[in-house]
Amino acid sequence: ILHPPCFSWCIRFCLSFKRVDSRTIYVGHRSCPANEAFIPPKFCDNRIVSSKYTVWNFLPKNLFEQFRRIANFYFLIIFLVQVIVDTPTSPVTSGLPLFFVITVTAIKQGYEDWLRHKADNEVNKYPVTVLEDGRRIRKESEKIKVGDVVEVEENETFPCDLILLQSSRDDDTCFVTTASLDGESNHKTHYTVPDTEKDLESLNATIECEQPQPDLYKFVGRMHIYKNNREPAVRSLGPENLLLKGATLKNTQKICGVAVYTGMETKMALNYQGKSQKRSAVEKSINAFLLVYLCILVSKALVCTTLKYVWQSKPGQDEPWYNEKTQREKDTNLYLKMFTDFLSFMVLFNFIIPVSMYVTVEMQKFLGSFFITWDKDFFDPEIKEGALVNTSDLNEELGQVEYIFTDKTGTLTQNNMEFIECCIDGFQYKYRDASSELDGFCVTDGPVNKLQQKEREELFLRALCLCHTVQVKEPTEQRVDGEVLQTSEALRGFIASSPDEVALVKGAMRYGFTFLGLESKTMKILNRNNDVEMYELLHVLNFDPVRRRMSVIVRAISGDTLLFCKGADSSIFPRVRQEEVERIRMHVERNATGYRTLCVAYKYLSAEEYAQADAGLREARLALQDREQKLMAVYNQVETGMSLIGATAVEDRLQEEAAETMEALQGAGMKVWVLTGDKMETAKSTCYACRLFQRNTELLELTVRTLEDGGRKREERLHELLLEYHKKAVQDAPPVKAAVTRSWSLTNQDYGFIIDGATLSMVLNSSNESNSSRYKNLFLQICQNCTAVLCCRMAPLQKAQIVKMVKNSKGCPITLSIGDGANDVSMILEAHVGIGIKGKEGRQAVRNSDYAIPKLKHLKKLLLAHGHLYYVRIAHLVQYFFYKNLCFILPQFLYQFFCGYSQQPLYDAAYLTMYNICFTSMPILAYSLLEQHICMEVLLDNATLYREIAKNAMLRWGPFLYWTLLGVFHGLLFFFGVRYLFSNPALQDNGQVFGNWSYGTIVFTVLVFTVTLKLALDTRHWTWINHFVIWGSLAFYVFFSFFWGGIIWPFLRQQRLYFVFANMLSSVSAWLVIILLILLSLLPEILLVVFRKPRGPHARQVEPKHTDTLTFPLCFTTFLPLFLDAVLHIFVVKRGWLLLFSIMYFSE
Amino acid sequence: MMASSYNAKEEDGHPSGASGHGGPGVVKSKKPDNTAFKQQRLPAWQPILTAGTVLPAFFVIGLIFIPIGIGLFVTSNNIKEFEIDYTGVDMDSPCYTCAKNSSWNNTTPCTCSVDFTLEQPFESNVFMYYGLSNFYQNHRRYVKSRDDSQLNGGRSALMEPSKECEPYRKTDGVPIAPCGAIANSLFNDTLELFHIDSNGSRNAVPLVKKGIAWWTDKHVKFRNPGGNNNLTLAFQGDFSKPVNWRKPVYELDPSDPENNGFINEDFIVWMRTAALPTFRKLYRIIQKKSSTTPTLPSGKYTLDITYNYPVLSFDGRKRMILSTISWMGGKNPFLGIAYITVGSICFFLGVVLLIIHYKYDTRNNSADIPN
């Protein structure tokens, strides 16, 4: 978390001093001849501040932040009112819980900030070596200034963003790893600025580069090197020259670099953004309920205040002779008194909004999430890791998911590539066991011309060996002399960011061409005859998702300059001779169902051609502005007129249990959308393999191909198709209700929808504004009626766009994104719940996710078991909390009618304070952590159970109304039961009478027991903890009451409860009324429980019978909440209609 | 998309400085413990309440509650209770003049007598209560207007009574003992009961004034300053009596030092504030004389009242109640009726459920077998 003042200071600083787009850095702070007036520019220092507080501002700032939470603020107000105004309860009753909550939170946040301080200090105080005037000076990292030349040794992390000037390696490269940041251990190569002098002391140069910007992969700059009054030499700088703060130097003894961005301006710091706070739907429900209760509270206080003044207006009531007011009270203004009375009532009833609920919910979420990390089913022996919980706020959201957006590669599939076959010049080669044949190369189709074919084969394999960015993993005991290490074939490891590059290189290796490594711009290949071939690597034309291909330009020993290019068929075919295409297209298309195919092409570059290309590339790389576009243009220009050699097919296996998982999720009523960047055919085959598309699924395709079918304008065709599909999937489909409520029978026609990136952008960004929203609507409606949707050829941003569109569609469905790669981060962040897979494509997805799991198959348990349980637990927790506080406060409210509206509390202050903290908090916490109303195996076996809690079923107004009515019923029962008992207060067998505190204590005892036993009735899973906590709470209540009433407390002014509890227990009538009231309150609950569907381990055998014999009471009880919901709906929503009908009826 | 697309996108942009979320999941790269708790597999009892298990419970509840209810109802009905309102609102009531004239300024006590007849004899101990109506002893301002440390004999609290006692805290700077509105409004009517013989002579019914307060209140919560000896010395001089009192606290019962000062039982009973505006408080106990004669035989009685306590100003009523007591306390039919009702409901529900159970649920009887 950035320190806002510093951050804003930086921004302001940059704005005020440097409005230009670039900054100039003087290497080593040496003025250069060209610039006579050397003004040392000012930049941020190299301090990283991620902490929020300092020792001095911790208290005010933390308190301010805490009281910004609406609930805390509310309780603070109540507390202040209690302090200022003469209120019935002492400030302690609400101050103590609030103090507790605030303190605990402050301690937690303080501890976290202390950790951050420690980490910051570790980074800021880390000693670094700076070269100043030829001397090596040790400095603290935070003292580095822009322009300092910093020396970093092996295994050290870079203290700021550096431009690499010098490396101890001969080939002017260095290796870095970001393992300490994201767990990736592969080494990335960075290059020194070409042609810088070996002697850094005499280097006189300036660097001109762009202002700090957060994009990690973009950097443009220029270095001017001044040499003895000669024209300054200009070198281009790119991301490959920039060493980012936080990365670690590897395999290189030491490097020197010049600091370009420091402190909060480093890319790392700029990139760090606090994750957007995701709030769960449950929290929204809580807030809605809170509002209702707030209304109840205010109206209660208003009613009481009004009645008080009505009552007082009768003569003799306000101030009888036995109860005179103090002088101060008499002097107070009437309206002020009314106001303070209102506040007093608010304070008296404020317990209806439970302060402890927030604490309990937080604790439940925090502690509950441990069960996910602890679950051994999520442990993957391969990566030796279990699940990871980054946010515990969303546990219950896992039980509410309606849409799942999944990535394909690495998520549905293993991203474990295996070279399956290749096709050279139209002949198919399938790999068989290499040892069986001499050259390991099997020709299936049989080449016509052996010799010529052999040549093509070798060219193809050379292309595979050269055209990539794979590195050879160097053994850990690295000898720095750069000698080629004789590692055995089996041990040779390759490192690449994408597994299919490795698969291709490995594939070539099996056919006899081994890539030995890249050394000082020379690629070495061991060919079939065990000769080492050397190629000079001239240029790498990097891959990008727009071009969808990459190329290398190499020069062979013979002097020939060659360009090898590999890429997707669609991007290669237009750039090669058409007659070659036909031979290979067939193979590519056949392989596309299930395999990932790449085409390989090459061309010879003549000297002139190369010179032209070289110049173009260099120029584009030097450009400070629009470098990307310029490079792209050059790339496109160079990659033309190639000839196609062949194509490769690489298989990506499905994840373990991918199909079962998908089937279960669909069975649970979730809609699965596959969002992939892969091509349609591959993605489609994966969908079939995952059983997302069934054999009888009718596919609705909306891709560039279908759009171009009609031969008309795309826009028109799009419109036409959308309408057609809409008619098919939405209008002709059976009404949604039938599909949602009960079993999803297979008799209905299933639809699958396929769309590609280009078409999607047409739908979303149609030229016509009115069309755009219309298309969007049509598209959404079609998709919502399809069982599975496949979006292929998606750019990362488009994935997020789709998630956002669904998220904001009607009904605000809960979305979940799951992915493993950097390209999924945007959709993971966008969805309600983001799940990262600890896959092979790095850790970015995991870091940005809310939950991370090792494998896709774990999603099933995470949602169906954990999510379901968490939702039920927290929903019950919330409802129970509101209920228990309603029946806690209602008697107190009713008591006002009998005590002259004087705000006399019914319960003693100790009971008021302890009720939520001690007597009733633990059982519900234990319940909300341990409850398994249906055991996990059953949940996993019957995915349909997930549908029962869909759409926030337990926190809708129906159930809320039910709980509220229950609370009202209980409250009325408690109060009036005891009220009628007290019509004769002589309740003891010695004729002595009970007073008001006995009254309150009896009510309170009934309350505590009823509320606890109500929870006991709801508990379906009694572990020893539940037993301990439930019976323990009740025992504690009894013990506490004895204890509290057993001693004259010296610090209390009034010994209100002295022996009240003991005396109460000595009265038989009190016992009888307590038992009666508890039983009577629980009677409806018991009735409900009886006819609820029996569940649990035994339910499995029983269930089928039950489903087909829905008995009358079963119907009645299960649908009671639904019925209430419906009634509410009718009264609130359909009232207009009712009115209309009644008018029509009466007018006739 | 081809997987080679992210070769550059490996570096992550998180500052190492930020330790991030302190949430769970710190434990990594370790296999989770296979304990029952962590795997949520604690052995658990999973109760299944079905009609089969609950139906007997309904019948049992019904069968237990109905007899209890009947017992309570009979007990309550057997309790004899006699109540007489002596406020003197009506012109013809004997205390009319007293009620008219009573005010705190009167120095001469007003007395009146109320005659009444007991139709039935009262067996065993009879308890004499005074009842007040429309008297808000549970008003907040009233309830808090006391100082328990003072009543416990605390020296410092005696000198400096609690602020809560206002406006009955001090008179002219001298602390009031006992302070507060409750003590100040101590019920000070004197009730005497006379039995009119068949020959017309008045026999005073002996009224015991001890044993009417809670034992713990009398012996622990309320204490005189400096012990019970020489109360006059302990209270005199430094303190003033509550404004409405006729006599100081040490003269509440001069005859018995164990019932004088703060530990006077009438005072203690009054200090236990009532729950509702209409209440009764124990005043005297009429001990049973012998097993053969009733404590209060049926016949004519006279209640002599020293009428000091004004209630008409707030439309209050005063009553005298004679009542016998059973194991459940005073007369109150509510409990008996409630028990009978609840018991019957349970029983009725049990029957209804049984019918439903057999009519609708015959096919899945197996489901209802409790495990």
Side-chain angles (χ1 to χ4, degrees), chain A residues 1074-1095:
Chain A
I1074 289 170
I1075 293 169
L1076 176 83
L1077 291 180
I1078 293 173
L1079 209 113
L1080 195 58
S1081 334
L1082 295 179
L1083 202 61
E1085 278 301 303
I1086 296 173
L1087 269 177
L1088 268 178
V1089 164
V1090 170
F1091 294 108
R1092 215 173 272 163
K1093 257 192 220 170
R1095 294 249 173 67

Short mmCIF file of all heavy atoms in Angstrom, two decimals, chain A residues 1074-1095:
data_model
loop_
_atom_site.label_atom_id
_atom_site.label_comp_id
_atom_site.label_asym_id
_atom_site.label_seq_id
_atom_site.Cartn_x
_atom_site.Cartn_y
_atom_site.Cartn_z
N ILE A 1074 -40.35 -20.26 33.58
CA ILE A 1074 -39.19 -20.32 32.68
C ILE A 1074 -39.30 -21.53 31.75
O ILE A 1074 -39.17 -21.42 30.52
CB ILE A 1074 -37.88 -20.37 33.50
CG1 ILE A 1074 -37.63 -19.01 34.17
CG2 ILE A 1074 -36.70 -20.75 32.62
CD1 ILE A 1074 -36.51 -19.01 35.18
N ILE A 1075 -39.62 -22.66 32.35
CA ILE A 1075 -39.73 -23.88 31.54
C ILE A 1075 -40.85 -23.74 30.51
O ILE A 1075 -40.68 -24.03 29.32
CB ILE A 1075 -39.99 -25.09 32.46
CG1 ILE A 1075 -38.75 -25.35 33.32
CG2 ILE A 1075 -40.34 -26.32 31.65
CD1 ILE A 1075 -38.97 -26.34 34.43
N LEU A 1076 -41.97 -23.21 30.99
CA LEU A 1076 -43.12 -23.07 30.10
C LEU A 1076 -42.79 -22.18 28.91
O LEU A 1076 -43.06 -22.52 27.75
CB LEU A 1076 -44.30 -22.48 30.87
CG LEU A 1076 -45.52 -22.20 30.02
CD1 LEU A 1076 -46.32 -23.47 29.86
CD2 LEU A 1076 -46.38 -21.10 30.63
N LEU A 1077 -42.17 -21.04 29.21
CA LEU A 1077 -41.91 -20.08 28.13
C LEU A 1077 -40.88 -20.60 27.14
O LEU A 1077 -41.04 -20.43 25.93
CB LEU A 1077 -41.45 -18.75 28.72
CG LEU A 1077 -42.54 -17.98 29.48
CD1 LEU A 1077 -42.00 -16.69 30.03
CD2 LEU A 1077 -43.74 -17.72 28.58
N ILE A 1078 -39.86 -21.26 27.66
CA ILE A 1078 -38.84 -21.81 26.75
C ILE A 1078 -39.50 -22.83 25.82
O ILE A 1078 -39.32 -22.79 24.60
CB ILE A 1078 -37.70 -22.48 27.55
CG1 ILE A 1078 -36.91 -21.43 28.32
CG2 ILE A 1078 -36.78 -23.25 26.61
CD1 ILE A 1078 -35.88 -22.02 29.25
N LEU A 1079 -40.30 -23.68 26.42
CA LEU A 1079 -40.92 -24.73 25.61
C LEU A 1079 -41.88 -24.17 24.59
O LEU A 1079 -41.89 -24.56 23.42
CB LEU A 1079 -41.65 -25.71 26.54
CG LEU A 1079 -41.66 -27.08 25.92
CD1 LEU A 1079 -40.82 -28.01 26.74
CD2 LEU A 1079 -43.07 -27.58 25.75
N LEU A 1080 -42.66 -23.20 25.06
CA LEU A 1080 -43.65 -22.62 24.16
C LEU A 1080 -42.98 -21.89 23.00
O LEU A 1080 -43.45 -21.94 21.86
CB LEU A 1080 -44.55 -21.66 24.96
CG LEU A 1080 -45.84 -21.23 24.30
CD1 LEU A 1080 -46.68 -22.45 23.96
CD2 LEU A 1080 -46.62 -20.31 25.22
N SER A 1081 -41.84 -21.23 23.27
CA SER A 1081 -41.16 -20.51 22.18
C SER A 1081 -40.58 -21.48 21.18
O SER A 1081 -40.53 -21.19 19.98
CB SER A 1081 -40.02 -19.65 22.71
OG SER A 1081 -40.22 -19.28 24.01
N LEU A 1082 -40.13 -22.60 21.68
CA LEU A 1082 -39.46 -23.52 20.75
C LEU A 1082 -40.44 -24.44 20.05
O LEU A 1082 -40.08 -25.11 19.09
CB LEU A 1082 -38.41 -24.35 21.50
CG LEU A 1082 -37.25 -23.53 22.07
CD1 LEU A 1082 -36.30 -24.43 22.82
CD2 LEU A 1082 -36.51 -22.81 20.95
N LEU A 1083 -41.68 -24.43 20.50
CA LEU A 1083 -42.65 -25.37 19.93
C LEU A 1083 -42.80 -25.23 18.41
O LEU A 1083 -42.70 -26.22 17.69
CB LEU A 1083 -44.00 -25.17 20.62
CG LEU A 1083 -44.95 -26.36 20.54
CD1 LEU A 1083 -44.32 -27.57 21.20
CD2 LEU A 1083 -46.27 -26.02 21.21
N PRO A 1084 -42.98 -24.01 17.90
CA PRO A 1084 -43.09 -23.89 16.44
C PRO A 1084 -41.83 -24.35 15.73
O PRO A 1084 -41.88 -24.96 14.66
CB PRO A 1084 -43.29 -22.40 16.20
CG PRO A 1084 -43.49 -21.77 17.51
CD PRO A 1084 -43.13 -22.72 18.58
N GLU A 1085 -40.69 -24.11 16.36
CA GLU A 1085 -39.43 -24.52 15.77
C GLU A 1085 -39.36 -26.04 15.66
O GLU A 1085 -38.98 -26.59 14.64
CB GLU A 1085 -38.27 -24.04 16.64
CG GLU A 1085 -37.90 -22.62 16.40
CD GLU A 1085 -37.50 -22.41 14.96
OE1 GLU A 1085 -36.59 -23.10 14.49
OE2 GLU A 1085 -38.14 -21.57 14.29
N ILE A 1086 -39.78 -26.69 16.76
CA ILE A 1086 -39.73 -28.15 16.77
C ILE A 1086 -40.65 -28.68 15.67
O ILE A 1086 -40.29 -29.57 14.90
CB ILE A 1086 -40.14 -28.70 18.15
CG1 ILE A 1086 -39.13 -28.26 19.19
CG2 ILE A 1086 -40.24 -30.21 18.12
CD1 ILE A 1086 -39.50 -28.59 20.61
N LEU A 1087 -41.82 -28.05 15.58
CA LEU A 1087 -42.76 -28.47 14.54
C LEU A 1087 -42.13 -28.35 13.17
O LEU A 1087 -42.25 -29.24 12.33
CB LEU A 1087 -44.00 -27.58 14.59
CG LEU A 1087 -45.13 -28.07 15.48
CD1 LEU A 1087 -46.25 -27.07 15.49
CD2 LEU A 1087 -45.62 -29.42 14.96
N LEU A 1088 -41.44 -27.23 12.95
CA LEU A 1088 -40.81 -27.01 11.64
C LEU A 1088 -39.73 -28.04 11.39
O LEU A 1088 -39.62 -28.60 10.30
CB LEU A 1088 -40.19 -25.62 11.60
CG LEU A 1088 -41.08 -24.52 11.07
CD1 LEU A 1088 -40.36 -23.20 11.14
CD2 LEU A 1088 -41.47 -24.82 9.64
N VAL A 1089 -38.94 -28.29 12.42
CA VAL A 1089 -37.82 -29.21 12.28
C VAL A 1089 -38.32 -30.60 11.92
O VAL A 1089 -37.73 -31.29 11.09
CB VAL A 1089 -37.00 -29.22 13.58
CG1 VAL A 1089 -36.08 -30.42 13.61
CG2 VAL A 1089 -36.20 -27.95 13.69
N VAL A 1090 -39.42 -30.97 12.54
CA VAL A 1090 -39.93 -32.32 12.31
C VAL A 1090 -40.17 -32.57 10.83
O VAL A 1090 -39.86 -33.63 10.31
CB VAL A 1090 -41.24 -32.51 13.09
CG1 VAL A 1090 -41.89 -33.82 12.68
CG2 VAL A 1090 -40.98 -32.50 14.57
N PHE A 1091 -40.71 -31.58 10.19
CA PHE A 1091 -41.12 -31.84 8.82
C PHE A 1091 -40.15 -31.32 7.78
O PHE A 1091 -40.42 -31.35 6.61
CB PHE A 1091 -42.50 -31.26 8.59
CG PHE A 1091 -43.51 -31.98 9.42
CD1 PHE A 1091 -44.08 -31.39 10.51
CD2 PHE A 1091 -43.84 -33.30 9.10
CE1 PHE A 1091 -44.98 -32.07 11.28
CE2 PHE A 1091 -44.73 -33.98 9.87
CZ PHE A 1091 -45.32 -33.37 10.97
N ARG A 1092 -39.03 -30.84 8.26
CA ARG A 1092 -38.00 -30.49 7.30
C ARG A 1092 -37.46 -31.78 6.72
O ARG A 1092 -37.46 -32.81 7.36
CB ARG A 1092 -36.90 -29.71 7.99
CG ARG A 1092 -36.31 -28.64 7.11
CD ARG A 1092 -35.35 -27.81 7.92
NE ARG A 1092 -36.03 -26.69 8.58
CZ ARG A 1092 -35.49 -26.02 9.59
NH1 ARG A 1092 -34.33 -26.36 10.06
NH2 ARG A 1092 -36.13 -25.00 10.13
N LYS A 1093 -36.99 -31.70 5.51
CA LYS A 1093 -36.44 -32.89 4.89
C LYS A 1093 -35.30 -33.45 5.72
O LYS A 1093 -34.37 -32.73 6.03
CB LYS A 1093 -35.89 -32.54 3.50
CG LYS A 1093 -36.78 -32.96 2.36
CD LYS A 1093 -35.99 -32.82 1.08
CE LYS A 1093 -36.86 -32.28 -0.02
NZ LYS A 1093 -36.08 -31.91 -1.18
N PRO A 1094 -35.36 -34.68 6.07
CA PRO A 1094 -34.22 -35.22 6.82
C PRO A 1094 -33.00 -35.31 5.93
O PRO A 1094 -33.08 -35.72 4.78
CB PRO A 1094 -34.71 -36.60 7.26
CG PRO A 1094 -35.80 -36.93 6.33
CD PRO A 1094 -36.40 -35.66 5.83
N ARG A 1095 -31.89 -34.90 6.47
CA ARG A 1095 -30.64 -34.93 5.72
C ARG A 1095 -29.58 -35.56 6.58
O ARG A 1095 -29.80 -35.90 7.73
CB ARG A 1095 -30.19 -33.51 5.39
CG ARG A 1095 -31.08 -32.78 4.46
CD ARG A 1095 -30.43 -32.58 3.11
NE ARG A 1095 -31.39 -32.03 2.18
CZ ARG A 1095 -31.89 -30.84 2.28
NH1 ARG A 1095 -31.52 -30.05 3.25
NH2 ARG A 1095 -32.77 -30.41 1.40
#
